[in-house]
Amino acid sequence: MQSAAAGSFPSSGPTQPLPHTRPRPLHWLATAAALAAVLTGAALTGPGTTPDTHPAAVAAPDARAAHYPLDCGRAPAEVVHQATADLDRDGRPETVAQVRCPAGGGTPPSGLYLLGTPAAGSAAPRLLATLVDPAERMTVTGLGAGPGTVSATLLGYSGPAVPRCCPDRRRAVKWHWRDGRFVLTALAPQTATAGA
């Protein structure tokens, strides 16, 4: 008879699985019940119990609360149109505002301004850029904004003899956010038609 080496167990023939390691229907049922409990708990608690990884929604800048570089005498500048989008793709909305001085008649020139959220300690939106300066003597129509893009149609005059009520030039333009600034893309100017 051979003696077993120190630290080893004698062999008793082919190994048999122990009774508690054999899967039985009861084991599968217990596993399924545990999995169902985990899934039900996750569904009931929902995403509201997990930490919020998204920043709170930031309100778009209010165009009527901004200060514009327009001299309208004693009258305040008027916001004609505004559009809101995440223009610089930073996760916060900006506002683009068409602004002009009020006038009893004619077509006063428009300014087109890009506004950002107010600076700390201020209620007025920050003026980030001037896209159209009123000194260019143009009227803005068809203002629109989307992620990274501002679009508009600019109406202007072919010469000083054209009445200020009736612009005779039209140009569709888009500004695209690229490399930290807006880049202007303009189509060729067109002759404005009456009623257009």
Side-chain angles (χ1 to χ4, degrees):
M1 180 173 167
Q2 287 184 329
S3 62
S8 66
F9 294 102
S11 173
S12 61
T15 51
Q16 296 290 324
L18 299 175
H20 67 277
T21 60
R22 285 187 227 128
R24 296 182 183 211
L26 184 60
H27 293 125
W28 291 112
L29 186 59
T31 301
L35 182 59
V38 169
L39 293 175
T40 301
L44 290 176
T45 58
T49 60
T50 58
D52 188 8
T53 56
H54 299 290
V58 177
D62 180 5
R64 287 171 176 73
H67 303 291
Y68 300 99
L70 282 174
D71 182 8
C72 298
R74 294 181 184 211
E78 66 178 352
V79 176
V80 181
H81 294 290
Q82 62 182 314
T84 300
D86 182 6
L87 299 173
D88 59 2
R89 300 175 191 261
D90 65 350
R92 293 175 300 203
E94 287 80 30
T95 298
V96 61
Q98 177 192 349
V99 183
R100 67 181 182 194
C101 291
T107 307
S110 299
L112 195 59
Y113 302 99
L114 178 63
L115 305 172
T117 54
S122 174
R126 289 176 298 134
L127 180 63
L128 302 177
T130 300
L131 301 179
V132 175
D133 192 317
E136 297 175 67
R137 315 288 306 162
M138 290 188 279
T139 301
V140 177
T141 64
L143 178 62
T149 306
V150 175
S151 60
T153 299
L154 305 179
L155 304 178
Y157 306 91
S158 58
V162 178
R164 298 295 100 176
C165 67
C166 310
D168 64 342
R169 303 294 279 172
R170 169 189 300 266
R171 174 177 278 178
V173 294
K174 280 190 178 183
W175 289 268
H176 299 278
W177 184 255
R178 191 176 303 140
D179 300 325
R181 64 188 181 95
F182 275 104
V183 177
L184 176 65
T185 303
L187 301 178
Q190 301 172 346
T191 303
T193 57

